[in-house]
Each structure stands twice: as structure tokens, then as C-alpha cells.
Amino acid sequence: MGKVILFMGVDKPLEERKFPLSEELESGAILVRITLATVCGSDMHSWQGRRPFPSLSVLGHEGIGTIVRLGPGMNRDTAGKPLAEGDRITWAIMANCGNCLFCRMKGLPQKCLNLFKYGHVKSDVPPYFTGTFGEYIYIMPGTGVFKVPEDMADEEASPLMCAAATVAGGLNWIGMQPGDNVVIQGAGMLGLYASALSKEQGAKQVIMVDILDKRLEMAKEFGADHIINAQRTSDEKLVNHIKSLTSGWGADLVIEVAGFAKVIPLGVKILRTGGRYLIQGSVYPNDSFTLDSHDVIVKCLTIAGLHNYDSMYLGVALDLVYRSRDRYPYKKLAGPKFPLTVKGVTAALESLEKRKSIRPVVVP
Ligand SMILES: [Zn+2]
Ligand SMILES: [Zn+2]
């Protein structure tokens, strides 16, 4: 048996339950004992009822753990490294079938027609352990899994599978180029990774825009060359400031990870002629923005959204973060720690809700 903390529905307290562990694993599956989970903003939004969500459900789609049992045929990770019981692994937020239109033809496996997403499904049916707020997780066949280097801390590795991999996929999707002047809107978890990872991929300079000084200060530790508090300046001054930092041209690449669509028109103004805009943050339904289509056409802009990621970008994010962990304090992003109890997980969600932390940690 293994313990989980269950989401029972909006405005209902979480509950602790025990479910039986699978003795026989299907081909390609893995049973993992979770050593640490981190709480993502979208877990909080599900818990708050900001989006339709199934219950009863084990929330959590960021975590790290060690292999308890390997299903038949599961002997290598997605990067080709051999896997054995006891190995520490990270896994993608989803399992995809590999055979449908989006998996095979359209380069969007995260939109697989048979998609399974951890922390997003009903958990009172086998295999039960479908989220990271539990002692175990059942890794489905078709999930990208990667062995974690021994000298990488759980705290550094856990948030990779949502925030860092999403950003790594986004930078590729929008075609980030070495030498780009990058403006990031939003210094939350995605924004801090966007700063470090774009720097690691050759950004000439990173300019971080946010409204919280605390987060802006943190952005400096994650590679931001300039920080701008958008609340203390006018839009016009902000655009001029960014032009002055980019020889008068404007940004090559703007990344929206603020989570609010209202920042998007300003992002368009910041872009240079021929610039590219990656929208990844304002994912919530019914949030809208208005653009001057003249600007989009005359400035020859490319505007692209990207949701979630192709599993390979978890591997890319893992490599980038591992290689650069002496330059950026990734460990600082995770914490404080809460126990895997109803009280602990509730407190972790509340700590995120009250903006006391960016990645609270749940330890079984
Ligand atoms: Zn997430
Ligand atoms: Zn598919």
C-alpha cells in the first residue's frame, strides 16, 4: 500500500488515502518511490477551482524519485542511458501514444489524441498513483524519463519537468538565436528559467520586466542583465528604455510568462521589426488582449503560443540546468519544505497562493 493526498473537489478539504501498489507492471511502465515533489502554480489553480478539474485526484506533476520496479522492456531512459531499480529519475508531465496525428505528423506530442497527464486525472481507479503528492507514482508507458545525475539535488531537478522543460521547448519553438536581445515579462518560475536558459543558449542580454522588486532582484541572480519594474514607469517610457538598451531597435525576442494577457500589447510594442513573440504564461481561459494589426503586419512580427512540451525538452532542460548549476542558484527556487500530510500539502498550496514561495516542496 502507498499513501496519497487526494484533491476531493473545490472548497473541500484534501484527504489522505492508501491505495494498493501494482505488483505486475505493464510493458514500458515504472513504479517510482517519490523522494520530493514541488508544487506548481497550476496545482494551486486546480485546487482553487480556477479551471475545470476531475476529482478525486492526486495533484502534483513535478517530482523526483527512485525506481522501485521496472515494467517489461523498460531498460533504458529516453536519452538511451541504462535504467535499474534504485536509479533516481525525472519524468515528463505526460505520456503520449507515439502513433496519432499529433505524435507522428504534426510535431506536437503534448497534444497527443491519447494524452495522459500526471496530476490531472481521476486517481480513485488503478493505477491510483497518478500525481506527485503521494509516496509513489506509476509512470505510464510512453512517458519520457531521464536519469538524474548523482550530484544534482532533488530540489534542482524536481521543477525541471514543468517549468524548465516548458521554457526549453518554447525557446526552440520560437527559434531563439544566439545574440538575441531577450525581454521576459514575468519573473516567476518560468521567467527565471527563461532568463538562465536563454543566457545559456547565447542571448546577448536579458531584460526582465515584472512588478515585484523581490522577484526582479532574484532575476539578476538568474542571468538578467537589466530589470525594469513596470509599475513604476509608463508604457511609453518602458518601450523607450528597452530601445535605448538595444541600439534603438527594440527586442529580438519577447517572452510572456507573466500569466496575464493584458501584458501582451506592450510586448508587441517592445519588439523590433521582424521580432518574435513567445506567449507561454497567460494560459487561463477567457483572458484576452487586443492588438493593433497594423503593428503586427508592418513590423513583420511572428507571434507564437506553446503549451507544455515535447518530452525531449525535459532532457534538454536537464542538461542545461545541470551544466549551469554553478552559475545560477536553482536550488533557491524550491522551498520551504512541507510534509506529505493533509495539513502539509494544504499549507504548501497556501504558501504559493499567498506568494510566500515560488516552489514549495512536499516531502513524503
Ligand atoms: Zn506545472
Ligand atoms: Zn499520440
Side-chain angles (χ1 to χ4, degrees), residues 257-326:
V257 278
F260 303 100
K262 66 178 183 201
V263 307
I264 294 171
L266 178 62
V268 164
K269 298 258 181 259
I270 290 167
L271 281 168
R272 70 158 164 83
T273 295
R276 285 154 285 137
Y277 202 165
L278 174 65
I279 299 175
Q280 286 196 293
S282 50
V283 66
Y284 303 102
N286 306 315
D287 200 4
S288 57
F289 58 93
T290 306
L291 286 185
D292 187 336
S293 56
H294 172 88
D295 280 353
V296 178
I297 297 167
V298 170
K299 282 169 80 176
C300 310
L301 300 181
T302 302
I303 301 178
L306 186 68
H307 184 224
N308 295 156
Y309 58 89
D310 178 333
S311 296
M312 67 177 280
Y313 291 102
L314 175 57
V316 171
L318 178 65
D319 280 348
L320 284 171
V321 167
Y322 181 65
R323 269 198 277 128
S324 62
R325 69 198 200 290
D326 294 335

Side-chain angles (χ1 to χ4, degrees), residues 96-104 109 111-115:
N96 61 293
C97 78
N99 281 313
C100 72
L101 174 71
F102 290 105
C103 283
R104 270 205 199 273
K111 295 293 153 186
C112 171
L113 297 172
N114 305 298
L115 190 72

Side-chain angles (χ1 to χ4, degrees), residues 40-43 61-62 93 162-163 359:
C40 170
S42 61
D43 294 317
H61 52 270
E62 293 185 5
I93 47 166
C162 180
R359 270 313 186 265

Side-chain angles (χ1 to χ4, degrees), residues 329-341:
Y330 295 114
K331 263 188 223 170
K332 254 180 141 175
L333 297 171
K337 284 185 181 169
F338 298 89
L340 181 73
T341 57

Side-chain angles (χ1 to χ4, degrees), residues 171-199:
L171 292 175
N172 176 72
W173 187 249
I174 198 65
M176 194 226 141
Q177 302 292 322
D180 273 354
N181 286 303
V182 180
V183 173
I184 300 167
Q185 297 174 294
M189 196 69 175
L190 288 165
L192 296 172
Y193 277 121
S195 179
L197 298 191
S198 54
K199 249 348 216 321

